[in-house]
Amino acid sequence: MAIDLKKTDVVIVGLGAVGGVAALPLARAGLDVIGLEAGTWLTPRDFAPDELRNNFRGWPQSAQKANSEIPTHRPNSSAPYSPRLPIHPMMNAVGGTSVHYWAQSWRLNPWDFKVVSETTRRYGAGRIPRGSTVEDWPFGLEELEPYYDKVEYEVGISGQAGNINGMIDKRGNIFEGPRAREYPMPPLNGTEFTERMATTARKLGWHPFPGPAAINSQSYDNRPGCLYHGFCSRGGCHVNAKNSTAVSTIPKAMETGRLNVVTQAIVTSVAVDDKDGRVNRVVYVKGGEEYFQPADVVLLASYTYENVRMLLLSKSKAFPNGLSNTGGQVGKHYFSHHTGATLTALFPFDLNTWYGLPAQGVAVDNWADDNFDHSGLDFIGGGNLWVYSDRRPIGAASMSTFGKAPTWGSGWKSFIKQNADRWNIAYLQKTTLPYEDNYLDLDPTVKDGLGLPVCRITADHKDNEKKLGAFIQDKTAQWFMEAGAIAVERGPNGTMGPSTHAYGGTRMGDKRDTNVANRSGFSHEVPNLGFLGASVMGTSGAHNPTLTAQALAWRTAEHLTKNWNAIARG
Ligand SMILES: Cc1cc2nc3c(=O)[nH]c(=O)nc-3n(C[C@H](O)[C@H](O)[C@H](O)COP(=O)(O)OP(=O)(O)OC[C@H]3O[C@@H](n4cnc5c(N)ncnc54)[C@H](O)[C@@H]3O)c2cc1C
Ligand code: SF4
């Protein structure tokens, strides 16, 4: 028998990077919020500089719901399934994946909000890739700027502004859209290697700058600055210098007395009142018991795959095809960031990148978005070039031999001994678009630990993304060779399997027939159901998604507080 609980104002499903942010404006507005979180609290004592545990064994195994529901993947509807990942890198914990992410905290650039209209204006309508379902966002960067600003200050971001109210500062990203003020903290320190790469970029006539990070470069909000020893890619920070929502916005929301965090609560569906089609409760499992949590408003913040799966699993008389899916748009316009087509370089000298962290790097945006003329090119969009300081023993020894040594035995060992600190891999994030035949649905046979179908991804990179990938590899090769590299190696495009940058599925837009969410992040079909996370984003830009998803989450939460009666009471 399910246990009926007392009604609350708002339930947030998932207290990760975005749910953990949305809780703060809601709680400050005096709403009673229950955060249902599948994971547990983790503390600095849980974090160890252990590459095997963090990067290969999917720590913390005890709490990893994500591993029991890894989406299946096939490149298209008639292709065989790809091998299933052994672990999924997303985290189940209070703070979600912001506990162990790299913490790069980028804003999108102005073009990313207007890909269709700006491409058409500059190059003609024929340049939108065939089959793409991309739309302009329902608003531009200027609408999101105040929310980026709030999140940067409440979470705590270090960085160097490049455009304050139109005043360009060459120390920062000269291509960024106008921002109201500086970052709350200066950027993280550079290293000898990132300085070398920055100097080289300037020689090439490019504009290098230190990237923004949700990591303290100095004391902030009573937590210390970063110590630069690394091992926090897929690991938490044991001195709390990394600003996960578990140490920033969630504790601030709890201080108001309005946020109640329920851990190890796995939400299985969202129920509606069949009479009016409004959401009225959330069903979750905790400690083997089933609970019904009634609420006036439900916000889904369980990451793209789970947001979509939750809707498709929540069938009712009012929504027989899944909640908010009468229009058949749930799962559509899905894409994952093209971060394949990597570029690896070998140098003839040590780089000393055995300390530091992936958010401590140097970026070049000259080839991002539409920052360069595409007239003579056969693709749209671009990539952010990013090199950083981070080296761990197993990863270092897994290096390529660049065709210069055997791949086993004593010849291999002596090559690795000499070169483990002489290679570097650039992280290249590229514009990725939605296409009509890339989508998410429920897998017909594979189930999770509770016996519910997992999400199925049907998606692959298209021509535009592949051509762009090759172009960005060329630019990165030029950068590395000019910096003294003696060899470079190009990685393959790969395919669109489960990703840590997964977008769409509940896309936001004014048109009801092509979008699940309206411009405020609430369902077009169910007025008291909202969506938080990159599942509402219709374009990726060339930068990591989290800060944008967090700014959108704050905006949706604020919209709710300002329109409470209309949304909660109908
Ligand atoms: C190793 C790594 C490095 C990354 N680096 C960066 C970076 O540098 N910059 C960047 O912008 N992004 C980065 N990302 C991506 C970033 O982590 C995500 O964009 C971000 O965490 C997404 O926020 P979210 O709140 O939607 O999901 P999450 O942060 O994963 O939070 C979702 C929460 O929902 C909970 N949940 C899920 N299902 C249920 C359920 N059924 N019931 C109850 N709770 C549930 C989960 O336990 C989790 O706490 C990285 C990701 C990884 C894995
Ligand atoms: S390098 Fe910085 S963010 Fe990473 S664990 Fe150390 S102090 Fe924390």
Side-chain angles (χ1 to χ4, degrees):
M1 260 277 280
I3 299 165
D4 269 308
L5 299 167
K6 199 169 143 257
K7 189 172 171 192
T8 187
D9 293 331
V10 184
V11 161
I12 303 179
V13 179
L15 271 192
V18 302
V21 158
L24 183 54
L26 296 174
R28 280 189 182 155
L31 293 171
D32 284 324
V33 182
I34 292 183
L36 296 177
E37 169 50 51
T40 59
W41 284 99
L42 296 174
T43 74
R45 294 180 70 87
D46 296 307
F47 307 137
D50 182 338
E51 186 184 10
L52 194 57
R53 189 183 76 149
N54 297 345
N55 299 78
F56 293 91
R57 292 186 177 157
W59 161 88
Q61 295 87 348
S62 59
Q64 283 301 26
K65 166 179 173 283
N67 285 339
S68 79
E69 62 195 33
I70 297 167
T72 55
H73 171 259
R74 53 187 184 162
N76 60 63
S77 58
S78 47
Y81 278 47
S82 312
R84 201 149 171 235
L85 294 183
I87 56 166
H88 196 282
M90 301 309 280
M91 171 68 78
N92 299 118
V94 176
T97 310
S98 72
V99 168
H100 74 152
Y101 77 154
W102 287 12
Q104 289 187 276
S105 292
W106 294 96
R107 295 178 171 206
L108 288 186
N109 286 341
W111 182 79
D112 303 320
F113 295 83
K114 298 185 185 305
V115 168
V116 176
S117 54
E118 279 301 298
T119 301
T120 305
R121 182 190 62 76
R122 197 167 172 189
Y123 309 111
R127 291 296 296 275
I128 301 298
R130 192 155 1 115
S132 175
T133 57
V134 62
E135 290 179 358
D136 279 356
W137 287 45
F139 47 79
L141 170 68
E142 61 292 345
E143 164 70 21
L144 206 54
E145 200 287 329
Y147 301 99
Y148 276 129
D149 182 85
K150 280 180 211 289
V151 174
E152 283 170 352
Y153 276 76
E154 293 290 0
V155 167
I157 310 292
S158 58
Q160 170 64 58
N163 179 349
I164 298 184
N165 294 319
M167 289 285 288
I168 301 298
D169 184 337
K170 287 189 173 165
R171 293 171 303 164
N173 181 7
I174 63 165
F175 300 103
E176 76 170 339
R179 54 169 58 245
R181 53 180 170 161
E182 254 301 353
Y183 285 97
M185 285 172 276
L188 293 168
N189 292 338
T191 66
E192 181 193 338
F193 171 65
T194 61
E195 285 307 319
R196 168 184 283 272
M197 294 303 289
T199 306
T200 306
R202 275 184 219 104
K203 257 196 244 159
L204 289 166
W206 302 349
H207 299 93
F209 60 97
I215 293 178
N216 290 349
S217 57
Q218 58 191 32
S219 297
Y220 191 77
D221 264 357
N222 297 320
R223 284 176 290 103
C226 177
L227 303 170
Y228 298 104
H229 45 26
F231 284 91
C232 51
S233 155
R234 293 212 197 174
C237 174
H238 59 275
V239 298
N240 283 340
K242 190 196 281 194
N243 296 324
S244 78
T245 54
V247 299
S248 56
T249 50
I250 294 172
K252 289 182 196 180
M254 290 176 77
E255 274 167 28
T256 66
R258 297 287 184 177
L259 171 64
N260 178 12
V261 179
V262 183
T263 58
Q264 294 183 297
I266 298 181
V267 176
T268 51
S269 64
V270 181
V272 291
D273 181 335
D274 280 329
K275 287 196 286 299
D276 61 8
R278 292 171 62 82
V279 163
N280 60 7
R281 69 181 178 200
V282 163
V283 182
Y284 70 90
V285 177
K286 180 177 162 83
E289 302 270 14
E290 190 173 58
Y291 293 84
F292 291 158
Q293 175 59 64
D296 284 324
V297 174
V298 174
L299 300 177
L300 288 187
S302 52
Y303 191 53
T304 296
Y305 301 120
E306 187 71 338
N307 280 0
V308 167
R309 189 169 84 118
M310 191 80 66
L311 293 175
L312 295 177
L313 287 174
S314 301
K315 292 187 178 162
S316 62
K317 221 153 80 190
F319 294 99
N321 299 323
L323 186 55
S324 193
N325 195 28
T326 307
Q329 289 300 301
V330 171
K332 296 282 163 55
H333 319 294
Y334 167 77
F335 56 101
S336 61
H337 222 173
H338 186 10
T339 56
T342 51
L343 209 283
T344 311
L346 180 67
F347 288 82
F349 43 79
D350 288 347
L351 302 179
N352 287 324
T353 52
W354 45 266
Y355 71 103
L357 59 156
Q360 184 190 11
V362 60
V364 167
D365 256 9
N366 290 68
W367 313 106
D369 305 310
D370 199 36
N371 298 342
F372 55 106
D373 185 9
H374 289 66
S375 303
L377 299 170
D378 54 1
F379 61 85
I380 61 168
N384 165 260
L385 315 191
W386 177 251
V387 293
Y388 56 95
S389 188
D390 171 55
R391 168 118 31 253
R392 281 159 275 122
I394 303 171
S398 312
M399 70 178 290
S400 162
T401 54
F402 291 81
K404 294 178 186 298
T407 51
W408 59 280
S410 53
W412 174 76
K413 281 185 193 161
S414 86
F415 180 86
I416 298 295
K417 192 169 171 211
Q418 183 177 30
N419 293 292
D421 189 38
R422 295 183 170 195
W423 68 283
N424 195 264
I425 183 162
Y427 186 48
L428 305 169
Q429 304 188 77
K430 299 165 279 286
T431 307
T432 319
L433 300 174
Y435 292 86
E436 56 201 6
D437 50 358
N438 285 348
Y439 60 91
L440 302 176
D441 63 2
L442 295 179
D443 194 283
T445 52
V446 181
K447 307 266 194 296
D448 69 6
L450 293 174
L452 300 168
V454 303
C455 208
R456 175 172 67 178
I457 303 167
T458 303
D460 205 0
H461 299 301
K462 308 291 183 188
D463 275 357
N464 192 72
E465 286 68 31
K466 290 178 189 164
K467 288 172 181 162
L468 168 56
F471 178 85
I472 293 299
Q473 280 177 321
D474 287 347
K475 293 294 173 198
T476 315
Q478 185 185 359
W479 192 15
F480 273 134
M481 293 306 282
E482 187 72 26
I486 49 171
V488 291
E489 221 170 61
R490 283 154 214 268
N493 277 292
T495 184
M496 271 196 178
S499 170
T500 59
H501 295 189
Y503 302 83
T506 69
R507 188 173 68 176
M508 170 196 280
D510 287 337
K511 291 196 239 158
R512 284 178 73 100
D513 56 337
T514 53
N515 295 289
V516 176
N518 65 24
R519 59 169 49 220
S520 304
F522 282 84
S523 165
H524 276 296
E525 300 179 10
V526 189
N528 60 341
L529 174 68
F531 309 106
L532 309 177
S535 63
V536 300
M537 291 171 65
T539 59
S540 66
H543 301 91
N544 314 59
T546 308
L547 189 78
T548 299
Q550 290 176 318
L552 287 166
W554 191 297
R555 180 175 172 274
T556 293
E558 190 178 283
H559 176 80
L560 176 57
T561 62
K562 288 185 174 160
N563 299 277
W564 177 254
N565 283 334
I567 294 171
R569 313 270 178 242

